[in-house]
Amino acid sequence: MAIEKIWVLAESADGKPTTTTLELLTAARSLAGTVEAVGWGEVASCAATLGEYGATTLHDVGDLAGSLPGVPVAAAMAQAIRAGGAPDAVLIPATYDGRDVAGRLSARLDRPVLTNVVGLTAADGGLETEHAIFGGAQVAKARFTGEGPGLFVIRAKSFAAEASGGGAAAVSPLDVPDTGTSGGATVLARHAEERSGPKLDEAEVVVSGGRGLGEKDQYAMIEELAGLLEGAPGASRAIVDAGWVPYAYQVGQTGKTVKPTVYLACGISGATQHLVGMKGSKNIVAINKDQDAPIFSVADLGVVGDVHKVVPKLIEAIKARG
Amino acid sequence: MNVVVCVKQIPDPAAPPSLDTANTLDRSGKLILDDSDAYGVEMALQLADAAGGGEVTLVSMAPNGEVSGLRTALAMGAAKAILISDDALVGSDALGTAKVLAAAIRRAGPDLVLAATESTDGYTGTTPVQVAELLGFPSVTFAKKVEVSGSTVKVERQTEAGFDEVESPLPVVVTVTAGVVEPRYPSFKGIMAAKSKPVETLTVADLGIDPAQVGAAGARQAITSVTAAEARQSGEIVVDEGDAHERIIQFLEQLKVL
Ligand SMILES: Cc1cc2nc3c(=O)[nH]c(=O)nc-3n(C[C@H](O)[C@H](O)[C@H](O)COP(=O)(O)OP(=O)(O)OC[C@H]3O[C@@H](n4cnc5c(N)ncnc54)[C@H](O)[C@@H]3O)c2cc1C
Ligand SMILES: Cc1cc2nc3c(=O)[nH]c(=O)nc-3n(C[C@H](O)[C@H](O)[C@H](O)COP(=O)(O)OP(=O)(O)OC[C@H]3O[C@@H](n4cnc5c(N)ncnc54)[C@H](O)[C@@H]3O)c2cc1C
């Protein structure tokens, strides 16, 4: 089965496609002749950018009237796929809503999913996936053996986003069939936490703190340093689980994948599940008081020292530069 | 209110994982309760209590009739368990697993189904939503707070920006994140009581599932290779003598970050 047409699930926020959406469109373009996007909500306002990254058509599910996206979006996609014009593959970002759509679509179409994909290549007329397993120590490759379309759930930062300069995607409405009892979950209210500075997975500099900080209040210096470097603060799971910072800060297997120009790890041991989320960074600086900490095995610059001494001095020195 | 909790029994994550000849995770040793599912069990016990009663039933699919993890969850206070164990299930993918879990859950006829957002070993994070679709239930994933009143559930669902308040009619599948509640430690009394709590063991045939739909054949995916990842080189190490911050500044200057 040759790969001719790929659908990309397009997510948007604040009127713009998410970076992961653009990454998936770029990958899709290199694998198939026809790339189309599927989106909902305000996605039509993104048609120009989606086109620039390679989508010729935007299948728009439109307003969801408060429903969580998983059920209506998957139902609309499944109906269109059954009606003909099915893609050979569907690329879905590994996000909150993306995973919901993937699970729903998989069960509706009775097609398996390959998840936590970090690489995708054409092989023998199909697609071969890459997965970082055992905390990134090994790479597994996999492929579908049955009938398509293949459903792929892909992690952020697996590909670089590059525009191709195409014209705006043509918007075509996608109808949602009756979803019966499964469609009952609705959003009553949305709450956004105040955040300034760049987003964690888009920042050029990430400063992360771990349990080595000792206590919750010490995280303030991580935020201050990140702010001074115009970067984003991040965290290990240990301090997320301890309630010091929200889950959105977590870097690693069950958190975000980041690939900044510089990643500064402060008081983080470097467990494999943390490393898998940050070892793709271009440069890594680690501060840890234990010279045998595994984080040093991936650091370009390792400082054996106390975060409570090194970080405040670093902050003062940067401030002194004005 | 009757609650089903999906609990996965997994190889001890503290031990180094290994692959079997089919390149799938070796599950032949003793299996334990996935930590991620302890939150669902605790949440179920609290919600049943708050609703003024009802049963908490565990559902698990695991090889070799494994019950160790189930006993842990029964010791926490769950009333009974359904275990699906069958050689035909070896090599199942997430969808095959969901077909089995959905069929078992249907027998229990719950008002609410709880699962973890993702398991510790396979972490596809898709199984519970597939289960919901197969049952025709709504689903709310990434719950960090769950409240049931009457025939609706209210959930605070994590989002990229913060959280959404979501409401859904029962029956519904809800997946909970780590840290939603503090799982209790089983008491000595609980551990003793767990030994005599009922565990119903079922096969694929008992559930009326076509064996071709599950196991390695049903998975319709193949692992083509497993290789060591490219290792990252470690670089310069400096021991802080009170001036290490200067070396970091230099490094950041070289990268033009400063
Ligand atoms: C299925 C699964 C998924 C997981 N997913 C993730 C994930 O996504 N992200 C993640 O981060 N983890 C994840 N983990 C957890 C991971 O295994 C580690 O437990 C966690 O990363 C440890 O966090 P930490 O480095 O902050 O804490 P610790 O491992 O406790 O390390 C603290 C470090 O601080 C150092 N230290 C102490 N005091 C000081 C000081 N004064 N100055 C300098 N250094 C000091 C210590 O030497 C130590 O190295 C996962 C685990 C599992 C099982
Ligand atoms: C490294 C690795 C990668 C894998 N990648 C894929 C893949 O890309 N696609 C694929 O289809 N399969 C994949 N699998 C296989 C998959 O993990 C198994 O099929 C598993 O049975 C179900 O998926 P999960 O553990 O990922 O579930 P998740 O969806 O992550 O589990 C979420 C929750 O569902 C419940 N649950 C899941 N399994 C059970 C169970 N057996 N009994 C009771 N409750 C359960 C638990 O509450 C669990 O916490 C992978 C396995 C491994 C080890």
Side-chain angles (χ1 to χ4, degrees):
Chain A
M1 172 198 71
I3 300 297
E4 280 155 19
K5 180 155 84 181
I6 295 183
W7 278 6
V8 171
L9 188 74
E11 291 191 282
S12 60
D14 309 323
K16 284 191 297 198
T18 61
T19 310
T20 312
T21 301
L22 303 181
E23 290 163 7
L24 299 197
L25 286 171
T26 309
R29 233 164 58 211
S30 71
L31 297 165
T34 305
V35 176
E36 299 177 349
V38 182
W40 67 89
E42 307 285 299
V43 74
S45 66
C46 306
T49 317
L50 296 172
E52 235 179 280
Y53 282 79
T56 49
T57 300
L58 167 61
H59 300 281
D60 185 4
V61 183
D63 183 48
L64 302 180
S67 273
L68 283 178
V71 171
V73 173
M77 290 168 83
Q79 177 170 266
I81 286 169
R82 287 210 194 89
D88 302 300
V90 184
L91 311 191
I92 299 169
T95 54
Y96 303 90
D97 292 332
R99 288 203 329 197
D100 282 3
V101 172
R104 290 280 172 179
L105 189 58
S106 156
R108 267 197 179 241
L109 294 174
D110 192 25
R111 292 289 177 275
V113 277
L114 279 165
T115 65
N116 289 310
V117 173
V118 297
L120 202 54
T121 45
D124 303 330
L127 293 175
E128 190 168 64
T129 54
E130 271 182 36
H131 310 254
I133 63 164
F134 299 164
Q138 298 192 354
V139 180
K141 293 191 174 176
R143 57 184 303 149
F144 289 118
T145 55
E147 242 179 282
L151 310 180
F152 302 89
V153 181
I154 303 180
R155 293 189 64 107
K157 300 270 160 170
S158 297
F159 312 99
E162 275 168 45
S164 65
V171 181
S172 148
L174 206 59
D175 291 333
V176 181
D178 180 18
T179 53
T181 51
S182 63
T186 47
V187 179
L188 303 179
R190 317 207 104 126
H191 299 264
E193 274 147 19
E194 280 296 320
R195 275 196 90 166
S196 54
K199 285 166 70 180
L200 178 56
D201 51 359
E202 289 172 10
E204 286 301 319
V205 177
V206 173
V207 183
S208 284
R211 188 143 48 195
L213 292 171
E215 53 181 286
K216 181 177 179 174
D217 291 350
Q218 297 293 324
Y219 191 78
M221 68 181 175
I222 298 298
E223 285 177 313
E224 184 175 11
L225 182 56
L228 287 169
L229 297 171
E230 288 164 33
S236 72
R237 173 158 153 184
I239 72 168
V240 171
D241 285 358
W244 297 4
V245 294
Y247 169 74
Y249 286 48
Q250 185 174 315
V251 173
Q253 177 178 307
T254 38
K256 296 225 161 55
T257 302
V258 299
K259 295 188 175 176
T261 305
V262 189
Y263 187 87
L264 256 120
C266 308
I268 293 178
S269 59
T272 52
Q273 298 93 350
H274 186 80
L275 297 184
V276 73
M278 46 65 77
K279 71 181 181 187
S281 304
K282 291 186 197 73
N283 296 279
I284 297 171
V285 179
I287 307 170
N288 195 303
K289 69 172 186 192
D290 172 9
Q291 61 174 12
D292 296 325
I295 190 80
F296 288 132
S297 70
V298 299
D300 300 284
L301 176 61
V303 172
V304 182
D306 185 344
V307 284
H308 303 109
K309 293 187 179 143
V310 180
V311 176
K313 280 190 196 156
L314 190 56
I315 289 172
E316 285 319 309
I318 295 171
K319 279 187 181 162
R321 298 162 59 94
Chain B
M1 186 178 60
N2 291 320
V3 187
V4 159
V5 191
C6 298
V7 297
K8 196 171 183 189
Q9 303 179 83
I10 61 168
D12 187 349
S18 60
L19 296 171
D20 57 23
T21 47
N23 266 338
T24 56
L25 193 65
D26 182 0
R27 300 177 187 278
S28 59
K30 182 181 174 242
L31 306 176
I32 62 171
L33 175 67
D34 186 341
D35 258 352
S36 309
D37 283 323
Y39 300 99
V41 174
E42 178 63 41
M43 178 62 83
L45 294 170
Q46 291 186 12
L47 290 174
D49 248 9
E55 256 183 354
V56 174
T57 305
L58 310 169
V59 171
S60 188
M61 170 180 131
N64 309 324
E66 182 67 71
V67 292
S68 321
L70 287 176
R71 293 284 173 215
T72 306
L74 289 169
M76 288 173 72
K80 57 188 186 350
I82 302 175
L83 171 71
I84 313 94
S85 197
D86 194 319
D87 288 345
L89 295 170
V90 173
S92 289
D93 69 336
L95 182 57
T97 304
K99 287 176 183 172
V100 170
L101 297 178
I105 293 167
R106 203 175 278 125
R107 289 162 72 105
D111 303 300
L112 174 66
V113 179
L114 295 179
T117 298
E118 58 190 34
S119 71
T120 297
D121 59 347
Y123 61 95
T124 63
T126 47
T127 311
V129 179
Q130 290 164 326
V131 166
E133 181 66 29
L134 294 167
L135 292 170
F137 289 6
S139 54
V140 186
T141 50
F142 286 94
K144 55 178 203 139
K145 191 170 171 203
V146 186
E147 266 170 21
V148 175
S149 61
S151 59
T152 57
V153 64
K154 261 198 186 170
V155 173
E156 286 185 9
R157 178 181 192 246
Q158 248 162 30
T159 61
E160 196 49 50
F163 68 92
D164 285 352
E165 278 172 56
V166 179
E167 191 176 71
S168 171
L170 302 179
V172 60
V173 174
V174 175
T175 73
V176 300
T177 57
V180 263
V181 281
E182 189 57 48
R184 68 194 69 182
Y185 284 105
S187 64
F188 178 70
K189 217 175 113 210
I191 294 168
M192 295 314 288
K195 293 188 177 157
S196 54
K197 286 182 176 171
V199 177
E200 186 186 10
T201 304
L202 302 174
T203 61
V204 168
D206 293 336
L207 290 173
I209 293 176
D210 171 6
Q213 292 272 309
V214 294
R220 295 165 285 168
Q221 53 190 279
I223 297 165
T224 47
S225 71
V226 177
T227 49
E230 218 175 288
R232 207 188 151 103
Q233 296 296 322
S234 60
E236 173 190 347
I237 299 280
V238 296
V239 177
D240 182 36
E241 308 278 3
D243 56 0
H245 60 284
E246 288 167 12
R247 179 67 192 100
I248 298 178
I249 298 257
Q250 256 178 14
F251 189 80
L252 297 177
E253 277 172 345
Q254 275 164 16
L255 299 173
K256 306 217 172 352
V257 169
L258 273 180

